Amino acid sequence: MSNVLPPSPAQSSRVLVLDRVRAEGPVSRVELAGHTGLTQASISNLVKTLLAEGLLVETGERTYTGAKGKPRVLLGLNPQARYSIGVQLGADWIVMVLTDAAGTVMARTRMRGARSTAPVRVVSAVATQIEALLALSGVDRQLVAGIGLAVPGIIDLQTGAILSSASLPLWELFAVREALQKATGLLTLVDNVATAAVMGDYWSGAIPEASAHCTLYMGASINTGLLIDGTVYRGASSNTGLLGRASFERAAGGRATVEEVAGPRAVAARARQELAAGRQTIAVLDDPANPFADFAAIASAAVHGDSLALELIEESAQHIATVVVAMVNILDLDSVTLAGPSLSTAGSLYLTQIRDRISAEALSAPKHDVTVRLSAQVTDAASVGAAALMLQHSLAKPAG
């Protein structure tokens, strides 16, 4: 069975109406018709259903159209109507959030990552943490739509498994979606971390004016999630935006991928090469080598002005900026967000490089600006977005 079935036209209309109310705040039925393109009759029927289900509420506010015009009753989303859990599965940390129907984070917890622990043990521990999160929040379990699970790597939607992952090799071919669903008794959807992160940007209202947006997510790998006219683009298998796998011809000869020259492993390897050649840095690298811990140390040293660390991070940022500019030009993007645990410390350095390159090289510059920003939830963007994915899936379906 597939991870998420395509919504029917009626379900799409429900999501469209709920999205507009959520994004715009109190809004009238007439305004909803204008913003969604649905007929007044369709809006009337949908609103009636959504009010009966408790997903929408009449706020008590009214707007007036003129001296003799009938006041319009405004509608708002009922945040307590539905809740969702988002889980961000990572090598170093696993983050879990509980959000309401508006996407507000009600509770958050995290535990050590899954890099070197058997998947079955990790799933059991995550299920225990989720139960504790629900108990502490006091949320009625019957109102919890389910779990959105964001995982790093290439996924198989049919089996709910990770096919390959640079940071979680022990998880390859493990059916994590079914395991977590069985352990918690809650419906579970799985998607990749970049797709989850882009949904988090959308659901949070951080990109309200974007027509064509991408969220660049940098963890162990470098991926992008795409949002076109408010709809997440997943591709044929929900594995879009594998930016780190893009390859190019090196000046010195041979080909290399973006991850091989700009990812955390590459930056850590370059640092060790420079230290072996006699260079100095304030960054303290792990012994034995741990490329992800090394990268974190280098990023911290870079923001403190260490010359070698800054050189390495800026070199990485330049490579990433090159492929981001290519994406901006190919897809005519008007918005880019940077997210992911590898950008939690030195994200501002990457932001500067990417902004400057887009400003200088975006072919669309005469037509429109390209907004580039750091995510409001840089480290935990995928967990918040995963919860939003489950909410959207849940809200598409009538109650019962």
Side-chain angles (χ1 to χ4, degrees):
M1 185 177 69
S2 63
N3 188 46
V4 181
L5 294 175
S8 68
Q11 290 173 343
S12 296
S13 296
R14 280 173 60 94
V15 170
L16 183 60
V17 168
L18 289 167
D19 270 353
R20 298 317 306 171
V21 176
R22 177 190 53 77
E24 297 177 21
V27 62
S28 70
R29 291 166 175 81
V30 172
E31 289 169 321
L32 277 176
H35 294 166
T36 62
L38 299 173
T39 66
Q40 288 284 0
S42 295
I43 289 293
S44 179
N45 290 331
L46 277 169
V47 167
K48 182 178 179 180
T49 299
L50 294 170
L51 286 170
E53 292 177 20
L55 292 171
L56 292 184
V57 292
E58 293 183 341
T59 66
E61 300 174 70
R62 286 170 167 75
T63 59
Y64 293 85
T65 58
K68 296 182 180 180
K70 183 179 178 181
R72 295 172 179 171
V73 177
L74 299 187
L75 303 163
L77 191 68
N78 177 10
Q80 286 76 48
R82 209 83 57 92
Y83 296 86
S84 178
I85 294 165
V87 178
Q88 178 177 319
L89 186 69
D92 294 314
W93 293 100
I94 299 170
V95 180
M96 289 152 276
V97 299
L98 174 70
T99 71
D100 64 17
T104 302
V105 176
M106 311 298 294
R108 182 192 314 257
T109 189
R110 68 177 190 165
M111 55 182 277
R112 293 300 302 181
R115 179 182 289 115
S116 57
T117 306
V120 172
R121 289 181 57 192
V122 174
V123 167
S124 177
V126 168
T128 299
Q129 289 290 329
I130 288 173
E131 291 304 320
L133 202 66
L134 290 174
L136 289 172
S137 69
V139 167
D140 183 352
R141 189 183 177 92
Q142 297 302 312
L143 296 177
V144 178
I147 301 168
L149 175 63
V151 301
I154 298 174
I155 60 175
D156 181 345
L157 290 184
Q158 296 297 319
T159 62
I162 301 172
L163 294 179
S164 67
S165 174
S167 58
L168 294 177
L170 290 180
W171 291 72
E172 292 178 0
L173 302 183
F174 177 72
V176 60
R177 181 189 67 210
E178 304 305 328
L180 186 58
Q181 184 164 292
K182 183 176 180 181
T184 60
L186 293 168
L187 176 66
T188 301
L189 303 180
V190 66
D191 221 316
N192 67 60
V193 285
T195 296
V198 80
M199 175 54 81
D201 276 338
Y202 176 64
W203 203 265
S204 69
I207 50 172
E209 304 303 324
S211 297
H213 169 85
C214 87
T215 294
L216 181 142
Y217 188 93
M218 185 169 167
S221 300
I222 304 167
N223 299 311
T224 57
L226 299 174
L227 187 81
I228 309 298
D229 290 329
T231 300
V232 173
Y233 177 72
R234 291 186 173 83
S237 64
S238 203
N239 288 299
T240 56
L242 299 176
L243 201 64
R245 304 293 180 91
S247 64
F248 60 93
E249 194 76 27
R250 282 179 160 171
R255 299 191 66 81
T257 67
V258 174
E259 281 174 13
E260 287 171 344
V261 297
R265 289 180 186 272
V267 173
R270 283 270 289 119
R272 289 186 177 272
Q273 289 172 2
E274 294 297 324
L275 291 176
R279 302 254 334 245
Q280 300 294 316
T281 177
I282 62 173
V284 179
L285 306 188
D286 262 16
D287 187 16
N290 177 335
F292 305 108
D294 286 351
F295 178 82
I298 295 160
S300 179
V303 299
H304 285 90
D306 179 80
S307 60
L308 174 57
L310 189 59
E311 176 186 316
L312 295 173
I313 291 296
E314 289 186 341
E315 182 181 277
S316 166
Q318 282 289 345
H319 285 301
I320 291 174
T322 297
V323 289
V324 171
V325 168
M327 285 193 65
V328 167
N329 288 334
I330 292 168
L331 298 174
D332 193 20
L333 300 176
D334 59 359
S335 177
V336 177
T337 296
L338 310 182
S342 290
L343 296 175
S344 61
T345 301
S348 60
L349 299 177
Y350 284 87
L351 180 67
T352 299
Q353 293 281 349
I354 292 170
R355 271 183 177 163
D356 289 348
R357 290 286 296 281
I358 287 176
S359 177
E361 301 176 28
L363 300 178
S364 58
K367 292 291 185 179
H368 62 76
D369 293 331
V370 181
T371 302
V372 188
R373 61 175 74 79
L374 282 174
S375 171
Q377 308 267 0
V378 176
T379 303
D380 302 339
S383 61
V384 176
L389 284 167
M390 173 50 76
L391 276 171
Q392 190 175 67
H393 175 74
S394 169
L395 295 176
K397 297 183 177 181

